[in-house]
């Protein structure tokens, strides 16, 4: 009997695995061959999706070969002095830039120009009152500048050429003001006004320089970014015509008197901005 119990114990120990081996089999359990089972640690979120590729920035540079023709809008403000006259002007219009050679461009513009020339006189007439008279000459013209531009760097340019101006309308006004016996300023209003016989065609020399700056706008959700060039510069404009600033006044008796405020070659310094498409 003792030998039988010993034999049963020996067979049982050989037939059954140990608890350590049984636990190890659970820890090393592998999925059956051919079954696709994904495993990840419990509680960790899935990895984030890759970031979207950056949107390309649309650029237009005046010096690139793929943009030989450029259109744009232009505004210019200027002023100057000559022969005791004050000259102010404003130009609004468009511009066409054409690449002729590397770093060389032809520029044609079409502007509606407003120009004013004024001259003041002081006198001690009228019972000792100091009176101030002002002659004002205004002209509206259609200007066509034809300019050559040299751009050694993408952001620096030098330019020069001619500007043709075609007179659309021109007129003058003669006003006065004075200080009364109490020192108060009195606006006397207009003495006379009428047409000013300005030159129909004006030819001017143009020379200047400036910088091209890049502006970026747009963006946001599902929107692209756009980049545009803006020319910012200064010009010297010198009129080749000998402009005459004169007018006629009819007195109470019907007689016509001719007055002249002077003559000369107006010039001005202009600050301009051109937005290129």
């Amino acid at each position: 009997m003792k030998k039988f119990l010993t034999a049963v114990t020996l067979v049982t120990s050989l037939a059954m695995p140990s608890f350590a081996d049984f636990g190890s089999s659970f820890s090393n359990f592998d999925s059956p061959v051919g079954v696709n089972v994904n495993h990840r640690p419990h509680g960790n979120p899935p990895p984030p999706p890759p970031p979207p590729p950056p949107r390309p920035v649309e650029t237009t540079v005046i010096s690139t070969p793929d943009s030989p023709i450029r259109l744009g809008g232009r505004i210019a403000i200027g002023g100057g002095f000559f022969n005791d006259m004050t000259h102010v002007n404003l130009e609004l219009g468009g511009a066409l830039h054409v690449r002729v050679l590397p770093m060389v461009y032809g520029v044609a513009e079409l502007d509606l120009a407003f120009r004013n020339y004024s001259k003041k006189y002081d006198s001690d007439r009228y019972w000792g009152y100091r009176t101030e008279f002002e002659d004002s000459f205004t002209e509206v013209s259609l200007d066509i500048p034809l300019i050559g531009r040299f751009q050694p760097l993408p952001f620096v340019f030098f330019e020069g050429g001619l500007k043709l101006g075609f007179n659309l309308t021109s007129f003058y006004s003669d006003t006065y003001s004075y200080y009364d016996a109490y020192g108060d300023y009195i606006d006397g209003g207009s003495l006379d006004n009428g047409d000013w016989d300005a030159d129909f065609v004006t030819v001017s020399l143009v020379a200047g320089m400036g910088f091209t700056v890049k502006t970026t706008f747009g963006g946001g959700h599902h929107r692209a970014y756009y980049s545009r060039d803006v020319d910012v510069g200064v010009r010297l404009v010198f009129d080749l015509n000998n402009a005459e600033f004169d007018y006629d006044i009819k007195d109470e008796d019907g007689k016509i008197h001719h007055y002249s405020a002077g003559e000369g070659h107006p010039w001005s310094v202009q600050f301009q901005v051109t937005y290129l498409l």
Side-chain angles (χ1 to χ4, degrees):
M1 187 66 179
K2 185 176 180 181
K3 292 180 178 181
F4 176 77
L5 293 175
T6 301
V8 171
T9 302
L10 180 59
V11 171
T12 303
S13 62
L14 292 176
M16 297 181 61
S18 64
F19 285 103
D21 293 338
F22 189 73
S24 176
S25 65
F26 275 103
S27 63
N28 294 329
F29 177 75
D30 293 331
S31 61
V33 177
V35 179
N36 186 13
V37 179
N38 295 324
H39 300 279
R40 61 180 177 86
H42 179 70
N44 292 336
R55 296 187 180 96
V57 178
E58 298 184 9
T59 61
T60 53
V61 183
I62 191 171
S63 59
T64 56
D66 57 345
S67 58
I69 299 178
R70 306 291 300 279
L71 294 174
R74 177 177 180 270
I75 181 173
I77 300 175
F81 300 93
F82 71 102
N83 291 352
D84 298 327
M85 301 194 74
T86 301
H87 175 204
V88 295
N89 56 74
L90 170 66
E91 296 179 1
L92 301 172
L96 172 66
H97 293 196
V98 179
R99 181 175 57 85
V100 181
L101 295 171
M103 300 185 295
V104 178
Y105 302 86
V107 179
E109 299 171 353
L110 183 64
D111 302 316
L112 184 63
F114 304 88
R115 286 187 281 269
N116 179 263
Y117 310 87
S118 61
K119 186 175 183 179
K120 293 183 178 181
Y121 312 85
D122 286 331
S123 68
D124 292 326
R125 296 179 298 171
Y126 302 106
W127 299 281
Y129 295 161
R130 186 175 68 83
T131 306
E132 183 179 84
F133 296 86
E134 181 178 6
D135 292 333
S136 178
F137 300 83
T138 303
E139 179 182 17
V140 180
S141 68
L142 186 66
D143 289 359
I144 304 178
L146 301 174
I147 298 171
R149 170 178 290 193
F150 174 62
Q151 190 158 349
L153 298 174
F155 53 87
V156 178
F157 63 84
F158 303 89
E159 59 185 9
L162 295 176
K163 180 175 70 170
L164 303 178
F166 299 92
N167 181 24
L168 300 179
T169 182
S170 55
F171 51 91
Y172 80 93
S173 64
D174 186 10
T175 60
Y176 77 100
S177 59
Y178 62 93
Y179 293 88
D180 61 13
Y182 301 99
D184 296 329
Y185 176 81
I186 305 298
D187 185 2
S190 175
L191 289 175
D192 192 32
N193 57 73
D195 295 332
W196 167 40
D197 189 18
D199 293 332
F200 176 70
V201 179
T202 304
V203 181
S204 305
L205 289 176
V206 178
M209 65 168 295
F211 303 90
T212 300
V213 297
K214 190 172 295 296
T215 61
T216 303
F217 62 93
H221 187 62
H222 299 299
R223 294 180 59 189
Y225 289 89
Y226 297 91
S227 180
R228 292 292 183 262
D229 293 337
V230 179
D231 287 348
V232 181
V234 59
R235 282 181 181 176
L236 175 64
V237 182
F238 180 81
D239 290 353
L240 298 179
N241 296 54
N242 187 30
E244 296 181 358
F245 302 91
D246 51 6
Y247 54 94
D248 296 326
I249 293 181
K250 182 183 295 186
D251 60 17
E252 297 178 354
D253 299 330
K255 295 181 180 180
I256 297 178
H257 301 272
H258 185 79
Y259 293 89
S260 177
E263 60 180 84
H265 299 273
W267 62 269
S268 67
V269 177
Q270 288 185 340
F271 298 92
Q272 62 168 347
V273 176
T274 302
Y275 180 84
L276 296 171
L277 301 177

